[in-house]
Amino acid sequence: MRKVLLFLDPGIDDSLALMYTLMHPEYEVVGIVAGYGNVPKQQAVENAAYLLDLAGIKDIPIIAGAIGPLTGELVPYYPLIHGEEGLGPIKPPPYVYADQEVFDIDKARELIEQHGNELSIVNLGRLTDLAMLYILYGPEFVNQVKAIYLMGGAFLVPGNVTPVAEANFFADPIAADLVLEKGESITIFPLNVTNKAILTPEVVEYLTQINKSPYAFLFEPIFDFYFAAYQKLIPGIKGAPIHDLLVVSALINPEIVKTLKRRARVDQTGEFTKGESIADFRPKPKEEPAKKLDTIAMEIDYPAFIEDVVHIFSQSKVEE
Ligand code: BDR
Ligand code: CA
């Protein structure tokens, strides 16, 4: 079993990643930290609660994350891509949240203490909450986990919110750089690979038909909304990139991506380069201490990714 503590900002691709993880027989989700990002923090918490409730799951603690980045700046949300409530046209009922206990960030410390190096951290949203763990409890404490997997950055490819920056790194570049510098055993899934992790309407139709999860009814409406938004952003695109889903698929199936080991940093303040992810890809990169090296996914085996996603949703562990 892979025990994971998830950091999410659901959001459509985060939601699909969460559904996949909950349905996967090899994953055990020990907690969900839901914070601002695609949607405001409160909405992220409610969406996580709604998705757990749909599957009848009551024993996974939801932890409320931050309302904004370490700079204290206000940041935009993305209703045009993810929908007003973050689930496309779906309106999660508010009463679900009222029924569920929501913990503060200290619960994340408790979970790390409890599970130690059996636990992996999977960060699919802004890096603020994970950075807060380093600030509150120190690198030695957080780095007792087995590994950290995160969606963020764009190496040698364009960004998605500025010409050079990806959304998770751009929204809180201080947090992103802090995590990369203080964290150990980090694997990064940047736009290089997640842009290629697309679901097409045909695959989503098939996934809906074969779906044995309590989430089957959500697939088409949330995908259609998200795909329509991407078609406006990138005319001619054949499907929508489900960035965060690739992370949880490749964590269990590492052969889905090809990786390089480099020290990754994030530009924190540049007028035109804020949030840019930087690593040395010269033929002879500068030597770095082994502990500073991150594993960066650079290429994806797309058919293997699709095969895995279809496989997991067709034989889910929670039956309707
Ligand atoms: C990342 O930003 C968010 O919008 C997505 O959920 C994903 O985690 C892609 O840049
Ligand atoms: Ca996300």
Side-chain angles (χ1 to χ4, degrees), residues 14-311:
D14 297 79
S15 297
L16 286 163
L18 176 59
M19 295 174 203
Y20 170 99
T21 313
L22 293 173
M23 293 303 114
H24 202 299
E26 288 167 54
Y27 269 121
E28 180 186 338
V29 179
V30 305
I32 298 171
V33 182
Y36 82 96
N38 294 318
V39 292
K41 160 201 162 162
Q42 181 63 19
Q43 190 66 56
V45 168
E46 294 201 16
N47 291 349
Y50 174 58
L51 294 172
L52 291 183
D53 188 67
L54 283 176
I57 297 169
K58 304 213 181 299
D59 56 351
I60 298 178
I62 296 177
I63 299 159
I67 60 166
L70 295 179
T71 54
E73 282 169 359
L74 290 176
V75 286
Y77 308 118
Y78 293 91
L80 294 179
I81 298 178
H82 295 273
E84 220 34 73
E85 285 84 12
L87 293 172
I90 306 288
K91 311 258 173 239
Y95 64 86
V96 174
Y97 167 55
D99 282 353
Q100 217 146 343
E101 191 180 356
V102 174
F103 295 84
D104 75 18
I105 198 73
D106 192 58
K107 184 73 182 175
R109 179 197 56 75
E110 235 177 71
L111 291 168
I112 293 173
E113 204 159 81
Q114 188 182 341
H115 299 287
N117 72 357
E118 286 179 9
L119 182 67
S120 295
I121 286 177
V122 177
N123 197 113
L124 305 178
R126 311 327 186 209
L127 278 297
T128 314
D129 297 316
L130 183 49
M132 280 305 297
L133 295 189
Y134 281 97
I135 293 167
L136 287 168
Y137 311 117
E140 205 182 319
F141 178 80
V142 182
N143 288 337
Q144 70 181 288
V145 299
K146 185 182 172 79
I148 297 173
Y149 298 83
L150 57 93
M151 192 283 134
F155 294 89
L156 309 174
V157 299
N160 58 359
V161 283
T162 77
V164 295
E166 177 280 331
N168 286 341
F169 281 11
F170 179 76
D172 195 340
I174 298 176
D177 195 53
L178 188 154
V179 168
L180 291 178
E181 279 297 279
K182 301 288 177 207
E184 287 173 10
S185 306
I186 295 182
T187 303
I188 305 171
F189 294 82
L191 294 178
N192 304 57
V193 283
T194 69
N195 269 341
K196 295 178 183 157
I198 62 166
L199 292 185
T200 60
E202 295 73 30
V203 169
V204 172
E205 197 188 330
Y206 183 63
L207 278 175
T208 304
Q209 283 165 17
I210 52 117
N211 210 305
K212 290 225 179 72
S213 83
Y215 302 122
F217 79 100
L218 282 174
F219 270 64
E220 277 178 330
I222 65 174
F223 173 80
D224 289 350
F225 187 98
Y226 186 72
F227 183 39
Y230 265 95
Q231 281 173 308
K232 282 191 198 126
L233 290 173
I234 309 168
I237 193 170
K238 299 273 179 292
I242 317 294
H243 305 279
D244 297 337
L245 183 57
L246 177 63
V247 180
V248 286
S249 170
L251 192 162
I252 297 276
N253 309 285
E255 66 285 354
I256 286 181
V257 288
K258 278 196 188 138
T259 60
L260 284 175
K261 277 194 181 287
R262 292 288 187 278
R263 180 179 187 170
R265 299 294 308 263
V266 181
D267 184 279
Q268 301 184 27
T269 52
E271 189 184 352
F272 303 110
T273 51
K274 188 181 123 184
E276 180 175 14
S277 45
I278 300 152
D280 191 347
F281 291 107
R282 291 175 296 179
K284 284 198 175 170
K286 180 171 169 256
E287 271 193 37
E288 299 282 3
K291 276 196 168 183
K292 290 283 177 197
L293 294 177
D294 305 300
T295 303
I296 308 176
M298 299 298 286
E299 282 175 51
I300 173 178
D301 179 344
Y302 179 65
F305 166 65
I306 293 297
E307 198 182 313
D308 174 59
V309 170
V310 168
H311 173 67

